Amino acid sequence: MAKSLTSHRPLLAVALKVSAVFLFTAMAAVVKALSDEFPTGELVFFRSFFAIPVIIIWLMSRGELAQGFVVRKPMGHFWRGVLGTTAMGLTFTGLGLIPLPEATAIGYATPIFTLILAAIMLGERIRTIRIAAVAIGLLGVLIMIWPRLGGNNLEATATIGALCILGATIARAFVQIHIRQLVQVDHPAAIVFYFSMTASLLSGLTIFGGWVVPTWDQAALLIMAGLIGGVAQILVTSSYRFGQASMLAPYDYTSMLFAIVIGYVWFSELPTLVMLAGAALVIAGNIVVIWREHQLGLERGKARAVTDPKG
């Protein structure tokens, strides 16, 4: 019998997940630092292209490289790439226009929008608890972006930045729905590999719009962004080998701590009380969803134990 690739090692799972969250936040900071000097398409290209070698080495080490090349729904991967590249482009644009902690906080809305889209597109039922969670999360989003929409003392670029990040969260929600459908027919290795390939191709086409030739120091940072992103993707994927998704999901919110520290040290940014209040509501809504998913998982497990006893 083949040895299982998963095991229950919660401390290792948490360490991998938190490390991945830190690297993703650090990558966002690198992109933000370069956003004034380079067009978004060029940033997306370096982030995507230089993640590919890391992903290939990882797939080879797991013996999954062959599965990474085989797809049954090529157009499904293309559209997943379009949606993911759009989300990345909007995120990178927004990072250059608003503080890192604010961009991080608005990004927490992705699970809320995913829940809404799952009900609309996949016909998933949303009961009272989930409806309440969605309402809390959307209220938090509204609180965070409201100052950007109505304040005369705020620059228009910040409004555009907040809307770009909000648009990215919606695009990522579409990506999540799309991945739910792809994993039914294609291996996760293929989904990871072909996204990086598609994103590199699509963003590479923006070279005709005018790219900036980087200095050696800038090129090192651009390549670093891709390598960090690739390693972070591997770490977050590996974390789920050693711990359940419901256990690991709350650790996504450590990114706020990392964003506040990096934002202050690198960019002299501090979060506002309004932003923190909105972020707290969005996080609360997400935690309710996580808790409810955990409860439903326990209920389904009990039902299977009754209907399919192993004794």
Side-chain angles (χ1 to χ4, degrees):
M1 181 181 295
K3 184 179 179 181
S4 173
L5 293 176
T6 62
S7 61
H8 184 62
R9 300 174 63 183
L11 291 180
L12 177 58
V14 170
L16 290 170
K17 183 64 179 288
V18 173
S19 297
V21 171
F22 170 75
L23 289 179
F24 276 129
T25 308
M27 182 202 72
V30 172
V31 169
K32 180 178 177 64
L34 295 169
S35 61
D36 288 340
E37 305 294 332
F38 297 92
T40 298
E42 188 172 357
L43 294 173
V44 173
F45 173 81
F46 275 90
R47 159 63 181 92
S48 304
F49 182 78
F50 285 96
I52 293 175
V54 179
I55 293 171
I56 289 177
I57 293 172
W58 175 61
L59 293 178
M60 291 177 62
S61 70
R62 289 172 57 88
E64 296 180 350
L65 186 60
Q67 293 95 320
F69 290 111
V70 178
V71 295
R72 293 178 178 83
K73 295 181 64 176
M75 287 306 298
H77 288 272
F78 172 75
W79 288 114
R80 183 265 185 267
V82 170
L83 290 168
T85 305
T86 300
M88 195 184 301
L90 288 171
T91 298
F92 287 4
T93 300
L95 281 170
L97 301 176
I98 62 175
L100 181 61
E102 184 177 351
T104 302
I106 297 174
Y108 290 155
T110 295
I112 299 297
F113 289 121
T114 302
L115 196 59
I116 296 172
L117 292 176
I120 296 172
M121 300 176 64
L122 303 180
E124 295 185 6
R125 299 180 65 181
I126 302 182
R127 299 184 184 275
T128 304
I129 293 178
R130 289 180 175 180
I131 292 175
V134 169
I136 293 171
L138 291 179
L139 177 60
V141 172
L142 182 61
I143 289 174
M144 284 190 288
I145 69 171
W146 187 258
R148 298 300 191 191
L149 300 179
N152 293 326
N153 60 325
L154 296 173
E155 297 181 1
T157 53
T159 300
I160 295 173
L163 293 177
C164 282
I165 299 296
L166 183 61
T169 65
I170 297 173
R172 282 197 295 269
F174 276 104
V175 168
Q176 294 300 317
I177 298 300
H178 209 65
I179 289 177
R180 290 189 190 183
Q181 298 172 321
L182 282 178
V183 294
Q184 297 176 20
V185 295
D186 284 327
H187 196 280
I191 297 174
V192 172
F193 177 74
Y194 279 101
F195 167 65
S196 294
M197 292 292 292
T198 306
S200 298
L201 175 62
L202 294 175
S203 59
L205 294 175
T206 65
I207 192 173
F208 299 108
W211 280 11
V212 175
V213 178
T215 65
W216 287 109
D217 289 342
Q218 290 172 331
L221 286 175
L222 287 167
I223 294 171
M224 184 187 301
L227 296 176
I228 290 175
V231 172
Q233 183 64 54
I234 290 171
L235 291 178
V236 73
T237 302
S238 299
S239 70
Y240 293 110
R241 294 177 56 195
F242 305 108
Q244 296 181 343
S246 59
M247 179 197 78
L248 293 172
Y251 291 95
D252 283 324
Y253 305 117
T254 58
S255 61
M256 179 53 70
L257 299 177
F258 297 138
I260 290 174
V261 173
I262 295 174
Y264 177 73
V265 173
W266 197 341
F267 305 106
S268 300
E269 298 172 342
L270 284 174
T272 65
L273 291 178
V274 171
M275 188 223 78
L276 291 175
L281 285 176
V282 175
I283 292 172
N286 287 337
I287 289 177
V288 170
V289 172
I290 295 167
W291 171 81
R292 183 55 180 164
E293 290 295 330
H294 180 65
Q295 292 299 112
L296 291 174
L298 293 177
E299 292 173 6
R300 285 191 291 266
K302 291 178 181 177
R304 283 194 297 268
V306 171
T307 58
D308 186 25
K310 301 300 181 182

